[in-house]
Amino acid sequence: MTAHAHEIRLKIIDLDRSSVSRRLTAIMLAQDRRTQPDYQRPWVPQWSVLHNHNIRTLDEAEDHVRRHEWAAIVISKGLESDLRRALLNGSVEYSPSSAMTALVSTGRNPIPVSRYIQPALDAMAQYAANEYARIQIVKLQANTDPLLSTTGINQTNRQALLTPIWYTEVDVSPFSFGIATIAPLFAVFVSLGCTLATQVLLKLSSVELYDIVNHHHLAIALHLLMLLWSTILGLFSTLAFLAFRGPQYNAMRLGLPINAARFFAIMFTFDAAILASSQWIFFWITVLPPDLIPLALITLMTPSSASSTVSLDLIPGGLRWIAAIPAHNSAMLFRTITSGAYSQVGTNVGILVGEIVFMFIVNMVIIMVRQDWLLSGYVDAAGWYRKSIFYKAPPRYVVCSENEVELETDSLSLATTHTINILDDSETPEGIQFTLYGR
């Protein structure tokens, strides 16, 4: 992740559009050029100015950052007029911390925010404030600014003179409660652990159904069972989140309040992720022999854990396919629902629903294939293939045929010949033939 942190773009939003704000912007951009990857600092995010925006107020800036950005430094509207008025009149109230606002969106992903975004945001805001103060003192000493002449220094606001710029930090999408980072991943993993046992039991106990039930009906029945099981686990996961989010969740605004709509939205998120992952587990358990099932689970769990915690902005382009993993989309939805940050609801829901439909079609085909394999003896009930040393031949069964022959005798009028073929996995069946005589 560190090698790609420089691909994150943090924004400078100028609401004042004055000579003071332009100077602050120039200071920050100059500092950004000194900390680029060419200077062996790839862990530092880059900065850019948000041009051609229609943002007029701080509230609109907060909404923009919440929806689209990681973080931004907002130069407050009216900064230049307030600063100059304080420099000319020492009796005027002036608050340096209102000059800039550092906005951060923790809800987009708390891990990169804590490791890269927050340090870069604080460092840039502090550097810009200190550098602007240094330049102002230099101008005072050089007596190059009429507003900062040494003759009028006694009439100026000392705070505006020595600390003209500082900042206030605002988290536009709080997402910092104790289980925030692992809540969606933990819910999906625990649910998949519960699902694995039921899937194995379902595979071993449904062998007889493959002999008597149409594969279409069997696929629908099995998926209805998975849907019911996922709904139960999703409900339990949502209740667990409500129980363990912490007593200060609402008191300290650690996330959006959980109302009925958000409760069912979180439940749907967990349901969809568990169902889609369960379908993948069903596919691998159905196809693979028992000794390869752990390998399949590793290939599912490893990218799921990575995709639900790591931001796509911090991974190479060749690994962006993890955006299609159910755990990633459920984590994105969970963060959006509980914090309001970086809404990609349409994309996330579309991927989850599309994957559920796709895996339903795939599993319907694989159930038909497994039905054929079982009836032909290619696999046994546990899933071992015929060439495996663990393969256990299916139970023997018999096929009977009979042939009636009329006899020309006084005592016997009819003879019926019966042939019983005992079938197993051998090429030549064993046969028993006997004749019954009757009047």
Side-chain angles (χ1 to χ4, degrees):
M1 293 192 299
T2 300
H4 296 273
H6 65 276
E7 296 184 6
I8 294 178
R9 299 294 191 273
L10 307 183
K11 298 299 182 180
I12 301 170
I13 303 176
D14 184 3
L15 299 183
D16 195 35
R17 299 181 181 180
S18 62
S19 60
V20 173
S21 64
R22 285 191 292 270
R23 184 186 300 174
L24 280 171
T25 301
I27 291 172
M28 288 186 275
L29 293 179
Q31 175 68 2
D32 177 62
R33 287 191 292 270
R34 288 191 290 268
T35 56
Q36 291 307 303
D38 294 341
Y39 293 86
Q40 306 301 318
R41 299 187 68 181
W43 61 88
V44 179
Q46 299 186 45
W47 289 84
S48 62
V49 179
L50 184 64
H51 295 287
N52 301 323
H53 61 79
N54 295 320
I55 301 174
R56 296 291 180 266
T57 65
L58 181 59
D59 290 338
E60 293 178 358
E62 291 182 5
D63 185 67
H64 174 82
V65 172
R66 183 184 302 111
R67 293 175 180 272
H68 305 289
E69 310 293 349
W70 284 100
I73 291 179
V74 181
I75 302 175
S76 301
K77 188 174 182 179
L79 170 61
E80 183 178 54
S81 60
D82 293 343
L83 179 59
R84 288 188 177 275
R85 188 163 47 252
L87 290 173
L88 291 173
N89 187 353
S91 62
V92 173
E93 291 287 337
Y94 180 73
S95 175
S97 60
S98 63
M100 297 189 302
T101 305
L103 304 179
V104 62
S105 181
T106 307
R108 182 163 177 175
N109 194 315
I111 294 179
V113 166
S114 61
R115 293 192 60 183
Y116 308 111
I117 310 301
Q118 193 71 61
L121 184 66
D122 291 336
M124 182 60 78
Q126 293 174 18
Y127 175 82
N130 294 331
E131 183 65 11
Y132 188 92
R134 184 190 68 81
I135 294 174
Q136 184 163 271
I137 295 297
V138 169
K139 287 188 174 185
L140 172 65
Q141 294 174 340
N143 200 19
T144 58
D145 192 331
L147 291 177
L148 298 174
S149 62
T150 55
T151 57
I153 192 172
N154 293 327
Q155 288 76 35
T156 191
N157 186 306
R158 300 297 178 88
Q159 191 172 29
L161 177 64
L162 300 177
T163 312
I165 303 295
W166 200 244
Y167 69 99
T168 301
E169 188 169 306
V170 176
D171 191 347
V172 298
S173 58
F175 191 74
S176 54
F177 52 92
I179 61 172
T181 305
I182 64 169
L185 176 64
F186 187 74
V188 172
F189 272 19
V190 171
S191 299
L192 291 183
C194 300
T195 302
L196 177 62
T198 59
Q199 295 277 19
V200 174
L201 181 63
L202 190 63
K203 176 180 180 179
L204 298 178
S205 62
S206 61
V207 176
E208 291 78 7
L209 296 178
Y210 283 90
D211 294 336
I212 59 178
V213 179
N214 181 278
H215 72 274
H216 292 94
H217 299 160
L218 186 60
I220 294 174
L222 293 177
H223 278 81
L224 287 177
L225 288 175
M226 282 190 282
L227 176 61
L228 177 61
W229 185 242
S230 300
T231 302
I232 295 174
L233 293 176
L235 175 61
F236 287 164
S237 299
T238 307
L239 294 176
F241 160 69
L242 295 180
F244 290 100
R245 60 182 175 166
Q248 296 179 331
Y249 180 88
N250 289 328
M252 298 182 63
R253 195 172 175 260
L254 302 180
L256 296 177
I258 304 300
N259 52 26
R262 290 194 179 97
F263 175 86
F264 287 107
I266 295 173
M267 181 177 169
F268 166 79
T269 298
F270 289 150
D271 289 350
I274 296 169
L275 177 58
S277 300
S278 299
Q279 289 176 303
W280 277 105
I281 292 180
F282 179 85
F283 173 80
W284 290 119
I285 289 180
T286 303
V287 173
L288 295 178
D291 56 344
L292 295 181
I293 290 178
L295 180 62
L297 294 178
I298 293 175
T299 60
L300 177 64
M301 296 298 188
T302 302
S304 294
S305 59
S307 66
S308 61
T309 54
V310 179
S311 172
L312 294 181
D313 294 338
L314 298 176
I315 61 176
L319 296 177
R320 299 290 175 88
W321 55 266
I322 66 174
I325 296 178
H328 169 78
N329 291 278
S330 68
M332 291 284 291
L333 284 172
F334 179 81
R335 289 194 287 264
T336 299
I337 295 167
T338 55
S339 72
Y342 199 59
S343 177
Q344 304 285 318
V345 174
T347 300
N348 301 139
V349 173
I351 291 176
L352 285 172
V353 174
E355 192 160 354
I356 291 172
V357 174
F358 173 76
M359 287 309 300
F360 173 78
I361 298 173
V362 171
N363 285 334
M364 181 170 291
V365 175
I366 205 62
I367 287 174
M368 180 180 63
V369 173
R370 175 169 167 77
Q371 187 178 46
D372 181 70
W373 286 352
L374 280 171
L375 295 179
S376 63
Y378 186 67
V379 296
D380 61 8
W384 297 107
Y385 289 88
R386 181 182 296 178
K387 294 183 180 181
S388 172
I389 60 175
F390 301 104
Y391 176 79
K392 183 178 180 180
R396 290 182 165 190
Y397 58 96
V398 298
V399 175
C400 300
S401 61
E402 61 181 30
N403 182 25
E404 295 184 356
V405 180
E406 294 184 0
L407 302 178
E408 296 180 354
T409 61
D410 295 335
S411 59
L412 298 175
S413 61
L414 184 66
T416 305
T417 302
H418 297 262
T419 302
I420 301 177
N421 291 325
I422 303 177
L423 305 180
D424 55 16
D425 59 332
S426 61
E427 295 182 357
T428 305
E430 300 177 7
I432 301 176
Q433 183 173 345
F434 59 93
T435 303
L436 297 179
Y437 300 94
R439 295 184 177 276

